[in-house]
Amino acid sequence: MPNVTFRASRRTLTSHAGLSIIGQCLEIAGVDSLDGRFPTTLGMRTSDVVKSYLGLLCLGMSDYDAIENFRRDKPFQHLLALQKVPSSATLRQRLEKLAANDLQARTATWSTTLLSLVEAPITAEKTHVCLDIDTFVMDNSNSHKEGVSRTYQKVDGYTPIAAYLGNEGWCLGLELRPGKQHTMKESNAFLERVLPRAQGLTEQPILVREDSGFDSQAHLALLERQRQAFADEGRRLDYLVKWNPRDSAKADLATWCAVAEDCWQEELRPGKRQALWTQTVSIRDGQTEVEVRRVMRLVERTADRDGQLLLEPDYELEGWWTSLDEAPEAVIQRYQAHATHEQFHSEIKTDLDLERLPSGKFATNDLILHLAQLAYNILRLMGQLGMTGELSPVRHPAKRRRIRTVLQELVHRAAVVVHKARQIILDFGQDIGRMTVLNTLRSRLRYPRGSPC
């Protein structure tokens, strides 16, 4: 075993060199404008408080006490352009005060501003850019936090709602909800907030995809109205919502089998076949009726996948509301890709350390989720611009990098901090690969679209 000794020196080191890119993104997003809207006569600037917590989130930390490790960390302060780093008590108190003053309403523009100015890549799936909207569960069991209640997964916690755009998964909306709140409650208002953000980021046709929790006549009617509003502007909007058969439809299985009698296809495997057909259903929107297309699928199983014969046939009935003029097989295939967004939920909960929210107050936790939306998009942007294609460090090829991979490869990188000629120089030693990626990112973000050169 080599003889290892330890020593200290006067050199300044950082293990988070990626904060240089994060601070640049915060500047582009316009976080510093908070000081004009939320001025303080004494004490710490509002922007310093918010950027300090955003810095923690971008390092994969969410607890207030984690800021104590950075109070004397000069690189953390300088790379994020902070005048001061708050204490944990100050951070908690100021975030609670900002949440009471409804800072949440102003944070949504930060992400859209950042993505628009840096011209973030937004990839379509086939002919449409997909806008996936869904709720998910955050387990906060054994706590007495405001808003924690029984969720649909039979655990105590919250059920926030999120919206992701494109195959990259840009987060355009992330709002906290009590655990017991139904998916459909206040979802129409959420959709009306998110659609203009998506419309401003891409000129391509947009496809809204949602699961069966959003199956309601009022929601479908809203989607039809939004579709018409897009058409009036020369744009295209389509939707794909999973049908909720509910108990009445399941009980009337004999009728569905009779309808599917002429639609059976060849067996998918021995003992399994399916029938596909489309229907036109009228839904009521106030005093008017709107006709909506519904794709139906009935699956019959007479044997399981191992070949074991069943005593009675097993039937599975599914349906999808859609405005797409495509074959049923294509519509179903589009909806199956909707499951990708579950990974984005996981990254928010695990990689950003937000499964258990830090505050006991609902409004403060809601603000933290709104800030997490920007932190998520910054890390996603670093991954898409710096870790795909030829610049990527040695890893398997991928169209999208997980947030944890971005933290490991780009954010948590060691460097010597040198102050010289009114500049901050980060010396990476022989780590040429990561230095090249970070330098390229900094050059790409230096003069974003619409900013003065």
Side-chain angles (χ1 to χ4, degrees):
M1 182 176 178
N3 185 18
V4 179
T5 59
F6 299 91
R7 73 175 186 180
S9 68
R10 299 178 64 85
R11 293 190 300 174
T12 303
L13 307 176
T14 180
S15 59
H16 312 298
L19 284 173
S20 59
I21 307 301
I22 294 168
Q24 197 173 4
C25 289
L26 295 179
E27 181 181 356
I28 296 172
V31 179
D32 289 325
S33 63
L34 281 177
D35 295 325
R37 297 179 180 272
F38 299 92
T40 55
T41 56
L42 295 174
M44 192 168 299
R45 297 187 309 175
T46 302
S47 61
D48 283 355
V49 174
V50 173
K51 288 196 294 184
S52 295
Y53 194 73
L54 283 169
L56 284 183
L57 290 176
C58 289
L59 294 176
M61 308 174 190
S62 64
D63 192 69
Y64 295 140
D65 290 336
I67 197 66
E68 294 293 339
N69 295 325
F70 298 96
R71 293 192 66 190
R72 297 181 181 178
D73 190 332
K74 291 300 181 181
F76 181 87
Q77 178 180 348
H78 294 157
L79 295 178
L80 293 180
L82 305 175
Q83 289 186 357
K84 296 180 181 178
V85 179
S87 66
S88 59
T90 300
L91 184 63
R92 174 179 56 81
Q93 294 167 3
R94 292 290 294 275
L95 286 180
E96 290 178 356
K97 184 177 180 180
L98 289 171
N101 291 331
D102 198 24
L103 175 61
Q104 300 91 308
R106 307 181 187 275
T107 58
T109 59
W110 294 344
S111 289
T112 54
T113 299
L114 173 64
L115 298 178
S116 176
L117 291 180
V118 303
E119 298 179 329
I122 301 177
T123 307
E125 182 180 333
K126 296 182 180 178
T127 58
H128 291 70
V129 172
C130 295
L131 179 63
D132 294 295
I133 301 177
D134 194 15
T135 59
F136 60 99
V137 171
M138 302 177 74
D139 187 355
N140 281 254
S141 303
N142 301 319
S143 68
H144 300 283
K145 300 172 186 176
E146 182 183 1
V148 169
S149 52
R150 205 67 170 171
T151 66
Y152 60 84
Q153 290 188 356
K154 309 302 180 185
V155 297
D156 294 332
Y158 300 104
T159 55
I161 187 171
Y164 306 100
L165 182 68
N167 292 341
E168 294 81 6
W170 306 112
C171 187
L172 299 189
L174 184 59
E175 300 178 5
L176 192 64
R177 293 177 165 193
K180 63 181 179 181
Q181 180 169 323
H182 189 272
T183 298
M184 195 55 241
K185 186 177 180 182
E186 300 179 1
S187 292
N188 285 352
F190 180 78
L191 177 66
E192 291 175 332
R193 288 191 292 271
V194 167
L195 273 180
R197 303 170 194 169
Q199 190 177 10
L201 289 174
T202 178
E203 296 292 333
Q204 302 179 73
I206 297 174
L207 175 63
V208 177
R209 294 190 297 198
E210 299 170 320
D211 63 16
S212 58
F214 296 87
D215 179 13
S216 74
Q217 291 195 11
H219 193 65
L220 293 173
L222 173 62
L223 286 168
E224 284 289 340
R225 292 196 299 271
Q226 292 289 347
R227 184 166 173 256
Q228 184 60 46
F230 269 63
D232 293 341
E233 299 177 5
R235 300 287 303 275
R236 183 177 177 185
L237 173 70
D238 289 296
Y239 59 86
L240 179 55
V241 182
K242 184 73 178 290
W243 173 58
N244 187 352
R246 298 182 171 87
D247 293 336
S248 59
K250 295 178 181 178
D252 199 14
L253 188 58
T255 302
W256 291 107
C257 290
V259 173
E261 187 64 33
D262 298 329
C263 304
W264 291 110
Q265 300 179 351
E266 296 182 359
E267 285 190 336
L268 302 175
R269 61 166 173 79
K272 179 181 179 181
R273 62 174 182 166
Q274 69 175 6
L276 296 174
W277 72 97
T278 61
Q279 297 176 325
T280 301
V281 182
S282 295
I283 62 173
R284 182 168 294 279
D285 180 16
Q287 300 298 324
T288 61
E289 288 191 354
V290 181
E291 290 189 346
V292 182
R293 181 183 182 222
R294 186 170 67 192
V295 173
M296 301 298 300
R297 177 171 71 179
L298 182 63
V299 178
E300 179 190 63
R301 295 180 178 87
T302 56
D304 62 19
R305 64 181 63 186
D306 298 323
Q308 178 66 49
L309 297 177
L310 305 178
L311 294 177
E312 294 182 353
D314 178 55
Y315 292 96
E316 180 182 0
L317 180 65
E318 295 179 290
W320 296 266
W321 303 100
T322 185
S323 60
L324 294 169
D325 188 17
E326 297 181 354
E329 294 87 351
V331 171
I332 296 173
Q333 186 179 11
R334 280 184 181 271
Y335 183 79
Q336 289 173 343
H338 175 61
T340 305
H341 75 279
E342 295 292 344
Q343 177 183 331
F344 307 145
H345 296 335
S346 173
E347 292 177 78
I348 291 173
K349 293 193 293 184
T350 59
D351 299 352
L352 296 184
D353 191 31
L354 286 172
E355 175 75 42
R356 299 184 70 87
L357 294 169
S359 178
K361 297 184 178 181
F362 182 85
T364 307
N365 284 332
D366 186 31
L367 172 59
I368 287 172
L369 271 194
H370 280 74
L371 297 178
Q373 175 186 340
L374 178 59
Y376 168 93
N377 285 326
I378 290 174
L379 295 174
R380 177 70 71 207
L381 184 66
M382 293 175 64
Q384 293 305 117
L385 298 183
M387 296 196 63
T388 56
E390 297 180 357
L391 276 178
S392 175
V394 181
R395 277 185 175 266
H396 62 277
K399 297 180 180 179
R400 180 183 59 250
R401 297 295 184 185
R402 187 182 174 96
I403 296 297
R404 181 181 299 170
T405 304
V406 177
L407 291 173
Q408 293 172 346
E409 297 291 340
L410 296 183
V411 178
H412 298 306
R413 306 310 303 181
V416 178
V417 183
V418 180
H419 294 268
K420 183 178 181 181
R422 293 185 294 180
Q423 297 183 60
I424 299 178
I425 302 173
L426 297 179
D427 187 347
F428 288 86
Q430 298 182 9
D431 192 359
I432 304 298
R434 274 70 176 187
M435 185 204 70
T436 302
V437 173
L438 292 174
N439 190 41
T440 303
L441 284 174
R442 185 161 183 83
S443 299
R444 167 73 184 271
L445 300 174
R446 182 167 295 168
Y447 300 116
R449 179 172 61 87
S451 66
C453 295

